[in-house]
């Protein structure tokens, strides 16, 4: 039997935009993660940006910072994150997992070659390094290519021409356009549709999909991202807030996120096979 080949990043049907969700590993608790990832896969969410939790992120707003603190307090680190991913990755049919790791807290203590080697063993689909010093970018890109680790690069609307071209040239998974210079949860003043000229310029030089994040909270913002010409929308703080509310209320985390995915996809062509899973069959997400 031929091996099943999953689609590339954001290989969404034309009637709906690609979708990525951001979460911190360990928030929800790691025992919940396999069921949650299965739900996202069956819902045909395209990508889970899964962060190895780290403290005091300078780019994150209060919702994501609280999430990271909860995960760190539970002892979640790189090894536990990779072990959790390894348990489910091989069985995924649609969802891809992009690991987000902080340079100072996670990558540097391992050493770049050894860190990338660990990712190769687990089989994560892409890597985004937070806080990478500019002087190390060339080494990072070269080593990641040698280890066959696809790279997510980032840029901002106010990035200089050289930065935009570098980000486009070295992205091998997707290019993350941060919609607004600020912290997670903030949006561009004129809405995401104002990014259309920049996305058009990046499209001409980037060989990979373009995903837009920051300030994407629901169906309206996702429609704006799509109208601007991007391939996908990245939902971060709003998804993390769903987890936070479920933890506080003692309700089903997986069911809450499944409902959130259906809600933000309203008007964009359904929600895959999620309807095959009844929320009543799920465990309470407090493991």
């Amino acid at each position: 039997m031929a091996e099943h080949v999953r689609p590339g990043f954001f290989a969404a049907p034309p009637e709906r935009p690609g979708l990525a969700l951001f979460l911190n590993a360990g928030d929800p608790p790691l025992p919940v993660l396999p069921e949650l990832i299965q739900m996202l896969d069956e819902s045909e969410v395209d990508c889970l940006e899964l962060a190895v939790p780290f403290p005091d992120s300078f780019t994150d707003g209060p919702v994501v910072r609280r999430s990271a603190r909860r995960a760190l307090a539970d002892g979640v680190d790189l090894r536990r994150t990779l072990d959790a991913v390894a348990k489910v990755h091989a069985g995924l049919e649609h969802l891809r997992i992009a690991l987000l790791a902080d340079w100072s807290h996670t990558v540097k203590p391992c050493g770049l070659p050894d860190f990338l080697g660990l990712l190769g063993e687990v089989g994560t689909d892409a890597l985004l390094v937070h806080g990478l010093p500019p002087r190390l970018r060339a080494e990072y890109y070269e080593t990641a290519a040698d280890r066959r680790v696809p790279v997510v690069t980032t840029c901002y609307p106010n990035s200089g021409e050289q930065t935009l071209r570098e980000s486009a040239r070295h992205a091998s998974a997707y290019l993350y356009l941060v919609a607004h210079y600020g912290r997670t949860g903030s949006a561009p003043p004129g809405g995401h549709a104002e990014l259309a000229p920049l996305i058009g310029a990046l499209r001409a030089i980037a060989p990979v999909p373009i995903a837009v994040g920051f300030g994407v909270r629901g169906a309206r913002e996702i429609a704006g991202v799509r109208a601007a010409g991007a391939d996908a929308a990245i939902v971060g703080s709003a998804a993390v807030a769903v987890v936070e509310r479920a933890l506080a209320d003692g309700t089903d985390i997986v069911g809450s996120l499944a409902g959130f995915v259906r809600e933000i996809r309203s008007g964009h062509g359904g929600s895959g096979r999620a309807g095959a899973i009844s929320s009543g069959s799920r465990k309470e997400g407090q493991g």
Side-chain angles (χ1 to χ4, degrees):
M1 181 181 295
E3 182 181 356
H4 175 73
V5 178
R6 283 183 294 147
F9 277 95
F10 308 121
E15 65 269 17
R16 71 163 189 254
L19 177 63
L21 297 186
F22 167 90
L23 293 173
N24 275 300
D27 190 66
L30 287 183
V32 180
L33 190 61
E35 186 185 6
L36 189 151
I37 289 177
Q38 180 186 2
M39 178 276 292
L40 296 178
D41 188 41
E42 294 180 344
S43 299
E44 296 185 0
V45 172
D46 300 287
C47 176
L48 171 63
E49 283 193 349
L50 187 66
V52 181
F54 59 97
D56 304 322
S57 170
F58 59 86
T59 58
D60 287 329
V63 172
V64 176
R65 285 191 172 203
R66 289 195 300 268
S67 170
R69 285 197 293 267
R70 288 191 294 269
L72 290 167
D74 200 31
V76 177
D77 57 10
L78 174 62
R79 185 70 266 172
R80 291 186 65 193
T81 300
L82 294 181
D83 287 347
V85 171
K87 291 177 182 177
V88 296
H89 185 265
L92 298 178
E93 296 186 6
H94 184 91
L95 182 76
R96 289 185 171 269
I97 298 176
L99 195 75
L100 187 153
D102 181 67
W103 168 257
S104 296
H105 188 261
T106 305
V107 182
K108 185 178 179 180
C110 291
L112 185 58
D114 288 345
F115 175 79
L116 291 169
L118 286 173
L119 296 196
E121 292 173 13
V122 173
T124 54
D125 299 299
L127 172 64
L128 194 166
V129 176
H130 175 272
L132 179 70
R135 61 184 173 80
L136 298 177
R137 285 177 187 160
E139 177 187 356
Y140 167 56
Y141 295 141
E142 181 179 355
T143 308
D146 288 343
R147 297 299 176 97
R148 299 182 183 274
V149 175
V151 166
V152 180
T153 61
T154 60
C155 60
Y156 293 83
N158 61 346
S159 294
E161 181 70 20
Q162 181 177 346
T163 298
L164 293 174
R165 290 191 172 278
E166 178 183 325
S167 296
R169 184 169 68 252
H170 291 288
S172 49
Y174 58 92
L175 175 60
Y176 187 154
L177 174 58
V178 181
H180 176 64
Y181 189 81
R183 291 186 173 180
T184 51
S186 59
H192 293 87
E194 72 179 28
L195 300 172
L198 176 57
I199 291 172
L202 289 170
R203 176 81 63 208
I205 58 176
V208 294
I210 298 169
V212 173
F214 277 44
V216 182
R217 301 180 184 90
R220 183 176 63 180
E221 291 84 12
I222 291 173
V225 167
R226 184 69 162 182
D231 298 287
I234 302 170
V235 180
S237 295
V240 175
V242 172
V243 173
E244 185 171 59
R245 286 193 295 271
L247 286 169
D249 297 341
T251 55
D252 176 18
I253 296 173
V254 178
S256 296
L257 272 172
F260 176 71
V261 169
R262 288 193 294 270
E263 178 184 342
I264 64 176
R265 275 213 169 131
S266 60
H268 293 293
S271 56
R273 292 162 285 148
I277 307 176
S278 64
S279 59
S281 69
R282 300 191 183 96
K283 297 170 289 186
E284 287 297 302
Q286 301 298 319

